[in-house]
Amino acid sequence: MTEPLREREDAHALFTAEAERARAGGGRLVLLRGATGTGRSAVLEAAAAHATHLGMRVLRARCSPDDIALPFSSVLHLLGSVPEFADVGPGDDDRGSAARLWRLLRSYADETPLMVAVDDVHLADEASRRWFVEAARRIDRLPVLLVATERSQYDIDPRPAGLTHALSPSVVRTHTLAPLTDNASADLVRAAFPAASDRWTADCVRAAAGSPLLLHALLDDLDGAPPPTTVPRTCAALYPGSYPAAVAWWLDSAGPATAEVARTLAALEQAERTGRTGQEERTEQAEQAERTERSQRSERTERTEPAERGEQAERAKGAAGRNAVPPVPAPASTHAALPATGTATAATTETASETASETVSEAATDTLAALVADASGADPARVSGWFTAMTRLGVLRPDRAGRPRYAHPLLRDAVLGGWSTARRQDAHRAVAQAMLRRGDHLDAVARQLLGSAPTGLPWALRVLRDAATVAARQARPGDAVRYLRRALQEPLPDDLRQRLLTELGSLEYASADTPAGIPRLAEALDLPAEPRDQVRTAIALGTALVGRGEVRTAVEVLRRLEGRLTGHPDLARALQTASALLSDQDQTVRREAYRWLTDTAERSPELVGPSGQALLVRYAATAGDLPAQEAMRRLRTLLTEPADPFAEPFLLGTAAAVAQWADELDEAERLVERGLAGQHPSLLHPMEQALRDTRWDIAAARGAYGPLLDALPEAARARRTGGGPVNADAHTLLALVETGRTPEARRLADAFDLRDTSDSWELNRFLYARGVLRFTEGDVAGALHDFLECGRRQSARAVLSPVVTPWRTAAAECRLELGNPQEALTLATEELRLARVWNTPRTTGRALRVLGRATRGRRGLELGAEAVAVLRDSPAEAELVAALLAHGRQLNAAGERGRGRDHLREGAERAERLGSVRLLTYAEQALRTAGGRRTTPAHTGSGALTGSERRIAELAAEGRTNTEIAELLHVARRTVETHLTSTYRKLGIRRRGELRGALDD
């Protein structure tokens, strides 16, 4: 044993001492125990080489299960290899055969000291085992060192008693080989791959699970994939496959019951990870790698003796190739691998949170063991014990919840490799059924069913459908899609298949898998079903088609079905309303749809229904034919009428949009929340996105730039596969401009090539927003082009009112900047005429402001003053700020500098509270021009609160809940929450209980 194996120095010392003792005539049995793969055979070979070096004769035998039927087979392997005794064999009398074989051994010992090396003695035949035990009792006065290796590992099926069970401790020295520590494994990896990074090394260490066998096999397979190539997560990426072969041998050695449990755990774990996001996987991998690296650092810290470090370096330099095992002396205390860290030393440096995690681990282990035992038919106590043993060995490591999991996905994949697809599917079904009996969460049961074959059992279909519904309600469309796809593999009647296909197609579309979603919905529409189910499918298909830009096709799908619903007038009306709503994305189809709707309403109003009449109110509002007060009166009347479930979403969404235009923002918000609450999470519906668009509109009307920008990911999700901008993009662009983030706004604007974008109202919104950006950047001509193009498109759609996009006033301001006051006056005058028809403070005040600038003179001052007065009653704070600033400049130009500065200061303070950097910058420039200074307002404290914020804060301080405040003030609960969030920030508090004291300060 010229070079001690890594972390096997104590075994080397034991063999050296016992060899010297045997040479002096005092033999002994040395039993080397260890789990599969810990290197028992390698240590035995090293001991044999050392004995040869000392001049001892070595007799070797490797036991095999194939020789169990032949008595004394293992002993004959030892002794029969000598030619002169080759014909010796066992007789009928075991006692006589044992005596003859003992005499043979004595004859060898008389010639020279012996080392008898027996590998895997646990596989020896029973007669040989008895012979070895008897020999151990009798060699204490002979120059014979008997060294045997024995597998010592916790298995599901209890193993027979070991070799030394009947021996006195005085005649045997037992040594147990511990798994390699993480640090020793890392040194082996670096010896094979000197350029390996810490993270790559830690990944290899986890995959090897403290086993020299697995580690060397893995390094053999990775020979063609050195760093920075990642360590594979599946055995399919390994060649020549030494690692999976080693894992298979380890399982075979453990027995069929243990292999069954090991593979059942692997199948369960694999299914659990199916529903996890890639980010979650990466997070856990990083945490595991950090734990491994921390363990390695802890071990290195313990080695503080300079001489020891120098010896280690010298040995490392002498190690040749990865098959050599470079020696790294390590104290015996570092041999015991522990969960999560792999070393006893690391356990002393764990944080309190990790200690708590280990406390949870015991309960988690027992719970998981009961599940695996139920699914595999094993004894729960033995399974729990196996988990504990494997965790100590390093094969399993606790996850963040304290549950034992395979140390690396590659190890888990290798464990599963011995099962056929059918066997894996059976295991997943068994685990799912066991989890269902235990009452586990639907998601957990459904994830197991994802890996099973169709069962044809009612409980499986029920679990998958319920889990899909839960996932959809929790905004996890990816999980819901997987569950429904699996549910469709079960035997189903046509009507149920139709409903599931509709849900699946809707969810696939919602999760951006549009190419898959539309064919699903088309297939569902062709299946026989109840009329209501057919209507749901048709509306979902129409919504998906419109999202892909196929508006006319979508409307034709709905009309074809409508023609088959002569006996169902309510369903026919729902399709008519859906057709009109979907047609908004194409101006030609929109004109046709509303012409038909208008003519039908005039001839037979009952054929249109409340939702259709609501759409006509909205159409008249956008066409500039109806005042806001009358529009809201009509809609409120329609809302009081009994509504069919199919019609109600259209009615609520339409009323919400008009209420937002009418400056009834709180009412609009309540209608939006009510409408979204009624949406089925697994069914595609055009009004769902319409309601979300109205929510964006409400936030923009209030100047809530922060919430708008916080919802940037939602804007990206709202974008359909056509690639064109959506309403959320337009509002995001405007919010970026208002908050001074012009470069970001420019990047967003440049992300779209509007030349290839199909016609839609959302494109018009985006053109208006891009015009505002260009105007802010100083590109007045470009801004004017965008505003006029927006106006041309809006007029072609018969959208004349400024309630949607006030493009005329925006274009008028461009005309003023370009020195064309007459054209500006014409545009502003027309906008004011249309605004007075609608007659809300927001639209009227804006038109008055711009017209006042274009008119100039005394009349211009009067219009500017009227704009400020009108907008003081508007919830549109940004419009009031703009009016204050415009009128302030008018007053300064007219020589009324004192009043002008007052308006500018008020506008600046309001702009700052609003968070509008653009308007604040404009105000400060105007103040400097007017020779004034802005008094610094309170940014924090109770003085910084708006009137609405103070009113809501005082009610909250009195102990009222958010719901009670919303009902008392007739606002939406979301409004209360938004105001309270802003209040907490301004007051510098975190809890509701601090409100009273902060308000009093």
Side-chain angles (χ1 to χ4, degrees):
M1 200 160 157
T2 56
E3 283 193 21
L5 299 173
R6 192 176 298 269
E7 292 192 333
R8 301 299 184 239
E9 292 77 17
D10 45 358
H12 171 59
L14 173 63
F15 291 141
T16 300
E18 293 300 322
E20 292 296 338
R21 185 176 186 273
R23 292 175 66 199
R28 184 132 56 184
L29 167 63
V30 175
L31 182 64
L32 188 65
R33 308 176 74 212
T36 301
T38 49
R40 299 187 310 270
S41 298
V43 174
L44 181 64
E45 286 301 315
H50 182 63
T52 301
H53 177 71
L54 294 176
M56 300 177 71
R57 182 177 182 180
V58 178
L59 303 179
R60 291 181 174 87
R62 175 162 293 170
C63 304
S64 168
D66 296 335
D67 298 331
I68 287 179
L70 181 63
F72 295 108
S73 174
S74 298
V75 180
L76 287 175
H77 287 167
L78 284 170
L79 306 179
S81 58
V82 182
E84 58 267 31
F85 297 106
D87 59 345
V88 176
D92 296 333
D93 180 12
D94 283 354
R95 283 176 173 266
S97 298
R100 293 177 64 198
L101 293 170
W102 172 250
R103 286 194 296 272
L104 288 174
L105 179 67
R106 288 287 303 262
S107 66
Y108 291 140
D110 289 341
E111 296 175 5
T112 182
L114 294 179
M115 175 183 174
V116 179
V118 184
D119 200 9
D120 292 338
V121 72
H122 55 283
L123 299 178
D125 61 277
E126 189 58 33
S128 293
R129 285 171 60 83
R130 289 195 302 270
W131 190 91
F132 291 136
V133 169
E134 187 61 28
R137 292 192 180 104
R138 299 166 65 180
I139 61 174
D140 58 333
R141 297 181 183 276
L142 295 177
V144 178
L145 175 61
L146 174 57
V147 182
T149 69
E150 183 176 66
R151 181 179 179 276
S152 174
Q153 186 169 313
Y154 192 98
D155 295 320
I156 300 301
D157 285 337
R159 291 286 179 176
L163 183 68
T164 60
H165 178 70
L167 286 176
S168 168
S170 62
V171 300
V172 61
R173 294 291 302 275
T174 301
H175 181 80
T176 301
L177 294 178
L180 291 177
T181 61
D182 287 344
N183 196 55
S185 298
D187 289 343
L188 284 171
V189 174
R190 292 192 182 96
F193 297 100
S197 67
D198 288 345
R199 182 58 53 84
W200 193 88
T201 300
D203 224 17
C204 289
V205 169
R206 292 200 314 277
S211 167
L213 170 74
L214 296 184
L215 182 57
H216 286 295
L218 177 61
L219 296 178
D220 282 339
D221 286 341
L222 294 178
D223 186 37
T229 304
T230 58
V231 175
R233 301 173 66 81
T234 173
C235 294
L238 297 179
Y239 182 80
S242 301
Y243 181 84
V247 172
W249 181 76
W250 167 70
L251 286 174
D252 289 342
S253 300
T258 300
E260 182 79 6
V261 167
R263 287 168 175 144
T264 300
L265 175 64
L268 186 149
E269 182 181 337
Q270 184 183 57
E272 284 183 351
R273 294 175 184 267
T274 300
R276 300 175 61 181
T277 64
Q279 181 60 41
E280 289 174 329
E281 284 281 337
R282 288 189 294 273
T283 300
E284 180 160 337
Q285 291 169 33
E287 290 177 353
Q288 288 178 336
E290 287 174 9
R291 286 197 295 267
T292 303
E293 291 168 16
R294 185 170 64 245
S295 167
Q296 295 163 14
R297 287 196 300 271
S298 178
E299 292 176 25
R300 285 193 292 269
T301 301
E302 190 176 77
R303 300 172 186 175
T304 56
E305 292 296 328
E308 187 177 31
R309 290 199 300 270
E311 182 183 1
Q312 175 182 339
E314 289 298 317
R315 288 186 190 145
K317 289 179 182 177
R322 79 174 160 276
N323 292 323
V325 185
V328 180
S333 61
T334 66
H335 285 165
L338 292 177
T341 64
T343 66
T345 305
T348 64
T349 62
E350 287 176 342
T351 63
S353 62
E354 289 170 324
T355 303
S357 175
E358 286 189 7
T359 302
V360 175
S361 177
E362 184 176 352
T365 297
D366 290 342
T367 301
L368 184 61
L371 174 61
V372 172
D374 191 358
S376 62
D379 178 0
R382 297 293 299 179
V383 175
S384 182
W386 187 81
F387 284 172
T388 301
M390 292 303 102
T391 301
R392 188 168 183 81
L393 288 175
V395 174
L396 303 178
R397 298 196 180 199
D399 63 7
R400 286 176 290 178
R403 300 170 301 181
R405 290 292 183 266
Y406 281 99
H408 192 274
L410 183 64
L411 179 57
R412 181 182 69 236
D413 188 66
V415 169
L416 276 174
W419 264 359
S420 65
T421 300
R423 188 64 192 88
R424 292 191 194 192
Q425 291 174 338
D426 289 343
H428 284 300
R429 182 196 54 74
V431 170
Q433 200 159 9
M435 296 176 82
L436 187 66
R437 285 195 295 266
R438 291 196 326 166
D440 282 3
H441 194 278
L442 278 174
D443 257 349
V445 182
R447 279 198 295 272
Q448 295 297 327
L449 287 173
L450 290 177
S452 72
T455 65
L457 300 173
W459 67 265
L461 181 59
R462 184 179 67 254
V463 165
L464 290 166
R465 292 188 66 192
D466 291 347
T469 300
V470 170
R473 290 192 183 282
Q474 294 178 349
R476 295 185 288 117
D479 286 340
V481 164
R482 283 191 287 271
Y483 297 149
L484 287 176
R485 285 175 178 169
R486 172 61 183 81
L488 283 167
Q489 296 174 11
E490 296 288 327
L492 300 168
D494 283 345
D495 57 342
L496 181 53
R497 181 173 295 278
Q498 195 270 352
R499 290 196 294 273
L500 293 183
L501 280 170
T502 301
E503 293 181 21
L504 177 56
S506 297
L507 288 166
E508 285 176 331
Y509 180 86
S511 58
D513 192 3
T514 308
I518 291 178
R520 300 268 194 199
L521 293 168
E523 180 184 354
L525 194 59
D526 289 338
L527 289 173
E530 292 291 326
R532 285 182 172 272
D533 290 333
Q534 289 182 319
V535 170
R536 289 190 184 95
T537 303
I539 290 175
L541 177 57
T543 305
L545 289 169
V546 167
R548 203 166 65 176
E550 300 179 26
V551 181
R552 186 171 293 280
T553 303
V555 172
E556 289 174 355
V557 166
L558 298 182
R559 287 178 179 169
R560 280 200 302 269
L561 180 59
E562 180 189 341
R564 305 200 301 267
L565 297 174
T566 53
H568 302 275
D570 291 346
L571 299 178
R573 283 195 295 269
L575 289 176
Q576 294 163 7
T577 306
S579 297
L581 183 67
L582 293 173
S583 70
D584 279 342
Q585 298 294 333
D586 184 283
Q587 62 183 5
T588 304
V589 181
R590 183 178 190 270
R591 283 197 301 269
E592 296 172 2
Y594 278 95
R595 186 183 304 117
W596 179 91
L597 196 62
T598 302
D599 293 344
T600 303
E602 291 176 354
R603 294 193 312 270
S604 306
E606 71 281 358
L607 296 180
V608 175
S611 57
Q613 293 174 29
L615 284 177
L616 288 175
V617 170
R618 191 190 70 164
Y619 184 80
T622 58
D625 297 335
L626 195 66
Q629 188 174 2
E630 175 62 16
M632 290 306 299
R633 185 193 67 78
R634 294 185 187 180
L635 288 171
R636 285 168 181 148
T637 301
L638 292 171
L639 286 168
T640 61
E641 297 180 9
D644 182 83
F646 276 97
E648 187 175 37
F650 297 104
L651 182 57
L652 291 172
T654 304
V658 176
Q660 184 272 134
W661 296 335
D663 287 350
E664 301 286 351
L665 300 186
D666 289 337
E667 184 175 357
E669 199 163 40
R670 286 195 298 273
L671 289 167
V672 166
E673 298 306 321
R674 181 179 161 191
L676 288 175
Q679 288 292 309
H680 193 294
S682 301
L683 289 177
L684 200 58
H685 197 286
M687 194 47 74
E688 180 177 3
Q689 188 57 49
L691 287 163
R692 297 189 187 279
D693 283 327
T694 301
R695 180 187 281 172
W696 282 82
D697 296 343
I698 294 168
R702 287 195 167 116
Y705 305 124
L708 283 170
L709 295 176
D710 289 342
L712 277 172
E714 183 180 337
R717 285 196 300 271
R719 195 172 302 126
R720 294 273 66 95
T721 54
V726 296
N727 185 46
D729 292 312
H731 284 306
T732 301
L733 187 59
L734 290 172
L736 289 170
V737 172
E738 289 297 332
T739 53
R741 296 159 63 176
T742 308
E744 292 178 59
R746 170 47 56 194
R747 287 195 292 272
L748 176 58
D750 291 343
F752 301 100
D753 185 355
L754 302 188
R755 294 171 299 179
D756 299 328
T757 303
S758 57
D759 173 66
S760 72
W761 65 271
E762 292 175 300
L763 171 60
N764 301 343
R765 282 274 181 93
F766 195 79
L767 281 168
Y768 175 83
R770 192 177 70 174
V772 173
L773 170 63
R774 285 179 164 176
F775 188 86
T776 304
E777 292 174 327
D779 182 9
V780 181
L784 178 61
H785 174 272
D786 280 346
F787 293 139
L788 292 178
E789 179 62 16
C790 172
R792 183 188 69 78
R793 289 172 174 271
Q794 291 287 70
S795 299
R797 299 167 64 86
V799 178
L800 306 178
S801 175
V803 296
V804 180
T805 47
W807 64 270
R808 292 181 186 84
T809 48
E813 290 186 292
C814 291
R815 293 293 191 191
L816 288 173
E817 292 294 325
L818 293 172
N820 299 317
Q822 190 57 46
E823 295 180 19
L825 187 64
T826 301
L827 287 166
T829 301
E830 176 63 10
E831 179 123 325
L832 180 60
R833 182 188 72 78
L834 291 167
R836 289 198 185 280
V837 173
W838 184 243
N839 198 28
T840 59
R842 189 176 7 154
T843 53
T844 304
R846 178 186 175 89
L848 285 168
R849 169 176 63 83
V850 178
L851 183 60
R853 285 192 60 202
T855 302
R856 302 181 182 179
R858 178 56 54 186
R859 177 57 180 159
L861 277 173
E862 292 173 354
L863 291 169
E866 185 181 357
V868 172
V870 167
L871 285 166
R872 287 197 184 276
D873 296 328
S874 168
E877 183 78 0
E879 289 295 349
L880 174 58
V881 172
L884 285 167
L885 299 182
H887 191 47
R889 293 191 65 176
Q890 286 178 308
L891 290 169
N892 287 335
E896 300 184 40
R897 290 183 175 270
R899 289 180 60 204
R901 286 195 292 267
D902 288 344
H903 277 71
L904 292 174
R905 287 193 185 98
E906 182 185 357
E909 292 171 4
R910 288 179 177 272
E912 187 165 36
R913 285 200 300 268
L914 193 64
S916 175
V917 175
R918 182 183 71 86
L919 290 175
L920 179 60
T921 303
Y922 181 80
E924 291 177 335
Q925 290 173 348
L927 273 169
R928 284 194 295 270
T929 302
R933 290 186 306 170
R934 181 168 67 91
T935 57
T936 304
H939 297 285
T940 59
S942 59
L945 300 180
T946 65
S948 298
E949 289 171 345
R950 177 171 288 279
R951 185 166 61 253
I952 290 173
E954 288 174 346
L955 290 171
E958 293 173 3
R960 298 181 185 270
T961 65
N962 291 357
T963 302
E964 290 172 343
I965 296 172
E967 293 174 352
L968 188 64
L969 299 180
H970 304 289
V971 298
R973 178 173 174 171
R974 181 183 291 271
T975 302
V976 176
E977 293 168 349
T978 302
H979 280 61
L980 282 176
T981 300
S982 176
T983 299
Y984 289 175
R985 176 178 55 79
K986 291 179 180 179
L987 296 180
I989 62 176
R990 293 185 177 183
R991 290 187 279 289
R992 209 181 191 91
E994 301 175 82
L995 271 173
R996 175 53 60 196
L999 290 171
D1000 292 340
D1001 290 343

